[in-house]
Amino acid sequence: MKETEKIRLSDYKEYPFEISSIFLNISIKNDYVEVVSIYDIKSKSNHDDSLILQGIDIEIKCIEINDKALEKDFYKLENNKLIIKIEEICSFKLKIISTINPYINTSLEGLYESNNMLVTQCEAEGFRRIIFHPDRPDVLSKYKVRIVADRKKFPVLLSNGNLLSEKRLIEDASKYESIWEDPFPKPSYLFAIVAGRLVCKNDFYITKSGRTVCLRIYVEPGDEGLTQHALNSLKKAMQWDEDVYGFEYDLDLYNIVAVRHFNMGAMENKGLNIFNSKLVLADSEIATDEELERVESVIAHEYFHNWTGNRITCRDWFQLSLKEGLTVFRDQSFTADLHSSIIKRIEDVSFLRSHQFLEDSGPTSHAVKPNEYISIDNFYTTTIYEKGAEVIRMLHTLLGHETFIKGVRHYAERFDGKAATTEDFIDSVFKGAIKNGYKPDFDISQFQLWYYQSGTPNVSINRSWEPTKGSLKLLIRQTHNKLSNKAMVIPIKFSFVSKNGPEKECLFVLDKEETTLEFEGLGNKNEKPVLSYFRDFSAPIRWETDLSTDELFYLVEKDTNLFARWDAIQSLFKLAILSRAAQMRKESLEENLIHLLERIISTASSNNPSFLATILTLPSISELELSQNTIDPLSVYNSYYSFSALVGKSLSSNLSNLFKTYSHGSILDWPNGVGERKLIDIIWKLLISSGNSEIRLKALQTVKGKSMTLCLSALNSLLPICCIERDEAMQYFYSRWNNNPIILDTWFRLEASLPRPDALQITEKLLDHPLFDPLAPNSIRSILGGFVKNTKAFHSLDGKGYQFIAEQILSVDRRNPITASRLVKVFSRWRNFTEPYSQNMLEAIKFLSNKDLSINTKEVVANILD
């Protein structure tokens, strides 16, 4: 593919051939891998005289059609395409013998080496690095795979589906074969093999129909003791999917392999999930509460793909959110059901605002269903995943839980074993809902604009109150950053918040640019009614209202919807911090906020420390920056920490008492004690930022304890403060964990993010550290991501921080374009920064644009400069 060639949704054409089955004979040698590929192919029409297959870095040894060798005149290689003349043959067997070299493949796509094992990553277009194939998701085939390897070097050989046999070779006892068969047709991106010296942790699950499924997690020797949490998570996910959706697992075996070198978090290959080791290996001593929940969630996510992604897949990559948005919604719901639904909702919204809203506000903004791309790898984004999940959540809100589930079941029944589109999904869900009595009061085709239009919609709500009549009018408008965008279907959950009784929540569907709601006969005519809007974040939009700061204070204390309470105090925090950043400090607002927090702490329920911790947590710096039209990063940073210090100092006594109250519960094993540990984390941050030396000492002692959650809470709390305790804590953490690569990545991140005058020089040295692995994306992201979070170093006035990151992106791009293209997005909002930051960022981007970049990174850089 030429670098400038774009793939467009409007150009989609069905692949002209059906490949019903593929047999692969994979022989692993010491310095290469030989692959014999046998395809059963049938033409869908009589008009195609050439078969076009994709292939990268594959050496052809032989090509046969119907057991007859093809002469070179009958095929050619052109721009990574194999073009085979087939003349008028309608149905035929194609055989290709080829070789590849996974030992020099650093892209972590296709087949590659990781810690002496061979492993695959085929989504999105990695399969073309293994064999010649159309390598598109709408070509579904049944696979049978034979793997042959040296028994000592590769004692474990795995592939998709069920294991048919494994045995030593009679002709060479040093080698053995393993034969696998997947009875379900699948696209090439779900193909997987693993070969290596691995150990296995076994378990089993009995399905609702009584079938026993063997569960196995494969890890490197010595890590098997860290797999029980992942196994428990898998069994919970299997039961939840049966209970909620009625989806049962369909194979006899479910394998998971943990891999150190992996671009993604995990991959849902049918029957053989391959995971980033960080998302498998976990217990309370080496993982935080957040990481344990993350492992549980990702294990579930990949399992849920068995139906929403594998059994029903995407017609093309423009439909990526069909599987990812739906499955993210399912894993979010799973976590909410297992733990706290309100805390999970707040965490998801906070992440969406800090990351996806940020993406939507810059030049890399794209629709949930983009209409064109150069490299599909650049579209594994928060828009596809998290915003896509919010689109599904709106469906759930509009239909109601039971009707939504019936709609999804209808979709599964209709498209099982097929490749579908987002339109297929929406149509099926609504048809299933209508069949069960649902009557939509909006245009279903208009709802689909959520897939087609990019950007974050804005909604404004203003009240018109007539006290003599007790009548209220709400003027509601939706606007969009792009003038071409049309009015969307926006569900608004709202409620009147009254002192006189319980609130009644309403659901209104805004499907026009502007509308007015009228309410008559409202209670106290002397007071303008106070409303809370978008309760539980009923739509992924930004909203503005005419609520005063006094009314926001009222909502924080009186609203019964916990999300709305949290959202109201977040608005107040933002107003206070950004007023400081603009040199317009609102002291009365800050004083009222302190009094509000005092009241909340004094009246807080002892059985919900997680929500109290959430209420006390300030908005993230990235979310604060998103609220500014022009960003002065150092001003925001300084204002954030000065306000944090004010809160910590003003509430010192209250917070110290809270610490004593909840310390005992913090020693309980996960999932117990999570709320107490969250609360201690925020207490430490606030008190240490205020200069409390006694707490610094307590934090240092905790770093030496057994809880990784409290250890990292202590380290992160000490991070912004230059003090002896911070240095000693960092040294101890390194000496204790330098033999564990997963935890060492955390140390790298912390070291790179420490604010200090020589931060850039220290980060450069980290890249030469003997334990740094330059081929592991986790390690790369830890150091470079940590430095980007180091506000004073990254945003240095001389631009050296930006130039350093640009140079590192270039270096990474030469070996791993996927990782590099994601890193370059740190520059995406360069136009929104004040000078000299904006110009310095532009210089760094131009530096990259003038280099020989991969297609992936070049596309992102071009979008940023566009």
Side-chain angles (χ1 to χ4, degrees):
M1 185 177 75
K2 296 178 182 178
E3 290 189 356
T4 56
E5 183 182 349
K6 287 188 176 182
I7 309 297
R8 292 181 172 84
L9 174 59
S10 59
D11 293 336
Y12 172 81
K13 291 181 181 178
E14 184 181 28
Y15 191 66
F17 296 90
E18 176 186 332
I19 305 178
S20 59
S21 66
I22 298 176
F23 173 73
L24 297 180
N25 192 84
I26 301 171
S27 298
I28 300 173
K29 315 292 185 179
N30 288 331
D31 53 359
Y32 69 95
V33 171
E34 181 184 83
V35 184
V36 179
S37 314
I38 301 175
Y39 318 70
D40 286 318
I41 302 177
K42 182 179 180 181
S43 176
K44 294 179 180 178
S45 69
N46 297 320
H47 306 298
D48 293 282
D49 58 3
S50 294
L51 174 72
I52 300 175
L53 304 174
Q54 307 290 335
I56 298 175
D57 296 332
I58 302 174
E59 184 177 341
I60 297 173
K61 297 296 184 184
C62 175
I63 301 178
E64 297 178 6
I65 288 184
N66 293 334
D67 299 322
K68 182 180 178 181
L70 281 189
E71 295 182 8
K72 290 190 177 180
D73 290 345
F74 284 85
Y75 69 88
K76 64 178 178 179
L77 284 170
E78 187 177 274
N79 295 326
N80 292 326
K81 291 182 176 69
L82 173 61
I83 304 170
I84 302 174
K85 294 179 182 178
I86 59 169
E87 297 179 342
E88 296 181 357
I89 307 174
C90 293
S91 183
F92 57 95
K93 189 179 294 292
L94 172 68
K95 179 179 179 179
I96 301 177
I97 301 175
S98 58
T99 61
I100 54 176
N101 190 346
Y103 304 105
I104 60 172
N105 178 8
T106 63
S107 69
L108 309 190
E109 296 179 272
L111 182 65
Y112 63 92
E113 186 178 30
S114 173
N115 287 359
N116 299 316
M117 78 171 90
L118 292 181
V119 63
T120 55
Q121 172 56 32
C122 292
E123 187 175 356
E125 296 176 339
F127 194 59
R128 65 188 64 187
R129 294 176 179 270
I130 301 173
I131 70 168
F132 287 100
H133 191 271
D135 203 15
R136 43 188 284 173
D138 59 345
V139 178
L140 279 67
S141 311
K142 291 184 179 180
Y143 285 74
K144 188 174 182 179
V145 179
R146 177 178 181 260
I147 312 170
V148 178
D150 182 274
R151 188 169 184 84
K152 289 185 178 179
K153 190 173 182 181
F154 301 105
V156 173
L157 301 175
L158 306 171
S159 190
N160 307 89
N162 294 318
L163 176 64
L164 296 185
S165 67
E166 54 183 349
K167 62 183 180 182
R168 290 190 178 186
L169 297 188
I170 296 174
E171 62 271 24
D172 187 347
S174 68
K175 295 182 179 179
Y176 82 115
E177 68 172 19
S178 182
I179 300 177
W180 296 80
E181 185 172 41
D182 186 350
F184 296 95
K186 65 173 178 283
S188 57
Y189 77 85
L190 291 173
F191 172 81
I193 66 165
V194 173
R197 185 172 296 280
L198 300 164
V199 293
C200 175
K201 184 71 176 287
N202 290 286
D203 209 329
F204 67 92
Y205 178 80
I206 300 176
T207 68
K208 276 199 168 182
S209 66
R211 292 175 48 252
T212 299
V213 180
C214 180
L215 311 178
R216 293 176 181 169
I217 296 185
Y218 290 88
V219 296
E220 294 181 43
D223 289 335
E224 56 269 31
L226 298 171
T227 58
Q228 192 58 53
H229 176 63
L231 276 170
N232 292 343
S233 300
L234 176 57
K235 289 191 285 187
K236 290 176 188 175
M238 296 176 85
Q239 182 175 341
W240 185 89
D241 217 16
E242 290 179 342
D243 291 343
V244 176
Y245 285 89
F247 291 156
E248 186 175 309
Y249 188 60
D250 48 14
L251 293 172
D252 301 329
L253 186 60
Y254 194 97
N255 286 327
I256 292 174
V257 180
V259 178
R260 170 68 174 155
H261 301 86
F262 204 67
N263 279 326
M264 309 287 187
M267 182 61 212
E268 69 268 18
N269 314 302
K270 182 76 176 184
L272 179 55
N273 288 185
I274 298 176
F275 270 66
N276 191 313
S277 55
K278 184 177 178 63
L279 293 170
V280 171
L281 308 177
D283 64 17
S284 294
E285 189 175 1
I286 73 158
T288 65
D289 293 339
E290 184 179 343
E291 289 166 341
L292 289 167
E293 187 176 297
R294 176 72 174 149
V295 168
E296 184 181 69
S297 171
V298 177
I299 290 280
H301 179 97
E302 305 310 324
Y303 173 76
F304 296 155
H305 267 312
N306 187 58
W307 276 93
T308 52
N310 297 2
R311 289 282 289 259
I312 309 171
T313 192
C314 305
R315 188 197 71 177
D316 52 70
W317 287 121
F318 297 100
Q319 323 294 330
L320 180 57
S321 194
L322 172 67
K323 73 182 184 79
E324 295 302 346
L326 176 55
T327 306
V328 168
F329 171 75
R330 277 159 42 76
D331 82 56
Q332 289 175 346
S333 303
F334 165 76
T335 301
D337 286 351
L338 261 60
H339 303 290
S340 166
S341 59
I342 184 59
I343 296 301
K344 176 59 176 167
R345 190 63 187 133
I346 289 171
E347 289 171 349
D348 289 340
V349 172
S350 184
F351 180 86
L352 188 84
R353 286 173 168 171
S354 296
H355 296 82
Q356 196 281 319
F357 279 19
L358 186 68
E359 184 171 77
D360 252 350
S361 69
T364 58
S365 172
H366 59 86
V368 175
K369 184 172 182 172
N371 55 26
E372 64 180 26
Y373 62 80
I374 294 176
S375 173
I376 186 56
D377 294 317
N378 289 332
F379 287 85
Y380 285 76
T381 62
T382 53
T383 297
I384 298 293
Y385 283 69
E386 279 73 23
K387 185 175 181 179
E390 292 298 320
V391 174
I392 304 299
R393 187 177 295 275
M394 285 188 289
L395 272 182
H396 183 273
T397 298
L398 291 165
L399 299 178
H401 180 72
E402 290 186 10
T403 304
F404 172 80
I405 296 295
K406 289 176 182 176
V408 174
R409 290 285 304 167
H410 181 72
Y411 163 69
E413 291 163 6
R414 184 178 171 191
F415 287 97
D416 188 12
K418 299 177 183 177
T421 65
T422 59
E423 290 84 0
D424 292 331
F425 173 74
I426 297 296
D427 180 66
S428 294
V429 169
F430 275 107
K431 280 183 177 176
I434 291 168
K435 189 194 298 185
N436 286 279
Y438 175 75
K439 295 180 180 179
D441 56 359
F442 55 89
D443 185 346
I444 295 171
S445 63
Q446 186 184 1
F447 180 84
Q448 300 204 60
L449 292 175
W450 280 104
Y451 285 104
Y452 308 144
Q453 296 185 169
S454 63
T456 305
N458 300 284
V459 173
S460 64
I461 306 177
N462 292 285
R463 295 165 294 171
S464 176
W465 170 239
E466 294 188 33
T468 56
K469 297 179 180 179
S471 66
L472 177 73
K473 292 181 181 179
L474 295 181
L475 178 60
I476 308 175
R477 293 189 180 95
Q478 62 169 297
T479 57
H480 303 267
N481 294 333
K482 290 189 175 181
L483 296 177
S484 59
N485 281 6
K486 299 176 182 178
M488 303 171 80
V489 173
I490 300 177
I492 305 175
K493 280 186 183 179
F494 70 95
S495 177
F496 291 88
V497 181
S498 170
K499 301 174 184 177
N500 303 321
E503 306 149 17
K504 181 181 178 182
E505 187 173 84
C506 303
L507 176 63
F508 170 70
V509 178
L510 175 65
D511 57 358
K512 299 179 177 63
E513 289 185 1
E514 182 178 310
T515 194
T516 301
L517 296 183
E518 297 187 28
F519 304 89
E520 303 289 343
L522 297 178
N524 189 343
K525 296 182 180 180
N526 295 321
E527 296 181 6
K528 181 188 288 188
V530 179
L531 293 88
S532 66
Y533 306 104
F534 292 97
R535 290 153 76 87
D536 299 324
F537 200 69
S538 58
I541 58 100
R542 295 183 191 174
W543 66 89
E544 295 179 359
T545 73
D546 61 356
L547 292 172
S548 66
T549 54
D550 286 344
E551 288 172 322
L552 289 173
F553 275 99
Y554 178 80
L555 287 176
V556 175
E557 296 196 86
K558 301 298 182 182
D559 205 325
T560 58
N561 184 277
L562 297 186
F563 173 84
R565 290 182 62 193
W566 169 80
D567 190 65
I569 201 166
Q570 288 288 293
S571 297
L572 292 168
F573 282 149
K574 285 179 194 175
L575 181 59
I577 296 170
L578 293 177
S579 295
R580 281 184 171 233
Q583 307 297 319
M584 298 173 63
R585 182 180 174 188
K586 298 179 180 293
E587 294 187 27
S588 61
L589 171 63
E590 294 178 353
E591 185 178 339
N592 289 336
L593 264 170
I594 297 299
H595 292 321
L596 172 65
L597 293 174
E598 286 175 333
R599 293 194 299 275
I600 289 173
I601 291 171
S602 66
T603 59
S605 170
S606 60
N607 62 6
N608 199 352
S610 287
F611 184 67
L612 179 56
T614 303
I615 284 287
L616 292 172
T617 301
L618 303 181
S620 67
I621 288 180
S622 62
E623 194 175 340
L624 290 167
E625 288 181 347
L626 193 58
S627 299
Q628 292 187 304
N629 292 325
T630 53
I631 304 165
D632 182 340
L634 294 186
S635 177
V636 174
Y637 175 86
N638 292 331
S639 298
Y640 177 91
Y641 281 104
S642 65
F643 182 74
S644 178
L646 170 70
V647 174
K649 188 173 182 179
S650 302
L651 299 177
S652 177
S653 176
N654 309 73
L655 295 172
S656 297
N657 289 334
L658 272 182
F659 180 80
K660 293 174 185 175
T661 301
Y662 288 99
S663 289
H664 179 71
S666 69
I667 64 173
L668 299 174
D669 290 335
W670 186 93
N672 299 311
V674 169
E676 288 85 348
R677 288 186 286 272
K678 279 184 178 179
L679 192 53
I680 286 173
D681 174 74
I682 188 61
I683 289 170
W684 277 345
K685 283 186 171 73
L686 293 171
L687 289 179
I688 288 176
S689 68
S690 72
N692 190 314
S693 57
E694 184 181 337
I695 290 293
R696 290 207 305 261
L697 209 56
K698 179 65 179 175
L700 172 60
Q701 293 167 355
T702 306
V703 171
K704 301 176 181 180
K706 292 184 178 180
S707 167
M708 182 58 72
T709 301
L710 292 175
C711 171
L712 285 181
S713 290
L715 282 168
N716 283 312
S717 299
L718 290 167
L719 194 71
I721 310 298
C722 182
C723 58
I724 295 173
E725 293 87 354
R726 183 183 76 177
D727 296 340
E728 188 176 335
M730 288 295 295
Q731 289 170 7
Y732 178 85
F733 189 77
Y734 174 79
S735 64
R736 181 178 178 182
W737 296 111
N738 65 65
N739 64 341
N740 186 312
I742 293 175
I743 305 178
L744 188 61
D745 284 339
T746 301
W747 179 80
F748 279 129
R749 174 181 60 79
L750 292 168
E751 275 288 298
S753 60
L754 286 178
R756 46 193 167 187
D758 55 350
L760 176 56
Q761 292 76 18
I762 288 175
T763 303
E764 289 173 328
K765 290 179 181 178
L766 289 176
L767 293 169
D768 293 324
H769 193 286
L771 295 179
F772 170 66
D773 184 349
L775 298 181
N778 287 356
S779 298
I780 296 168
R781 288 188 288 260
S782 291
I783 292 182
L784 300 185
F787 182 79
V788 169
K789 293 293 184 183
N790 193 333
T791 301
K792 292 182 178 180
F794 178 58
H795 294 290
S796 60
L797 292 172
D798 57 12
K800 289 183 178 179
Y802 304 150
Q803 184 62 29
F804 166 71
I805 288 296
E807 290 168 358
Q808 296 310 311
I809 289 170
L810 179 63
S811 175
V812 172
D813 189 54
R814 288 166 180 161
R815 57 184 184 270
N816 190 329
I818 289 177
T819 298
S821 63
R822 292 174 183 176
L823 288 170
V824 79
K825 290 182 180 181
V826 299
F827 297 124
S828 63
R829 297 188 72 222
W830 65 273
R831 289 182 176 87
N832 296 87
F833 285 80
T834 59
E835 297 298 349
Y837 309 109
S838 180
Q839 184 61 35
N840 289 342
M841 275 193 187
L842 178 59
E843 292 302 318
I845 304 164
K846 285 183 175 179
F847 164 81
L848 284 170
S849 70
N850 291 324
K851 302 297 180 180
D852 184 17
L853 300 173
S854 67
I855 291 175
N856 304 58
T857 304
K858 187 166 187 169
E859 179 180 22
V860 178
V861 169
N863 286 338
I864 290 173
L865 287 173
D866 190 10

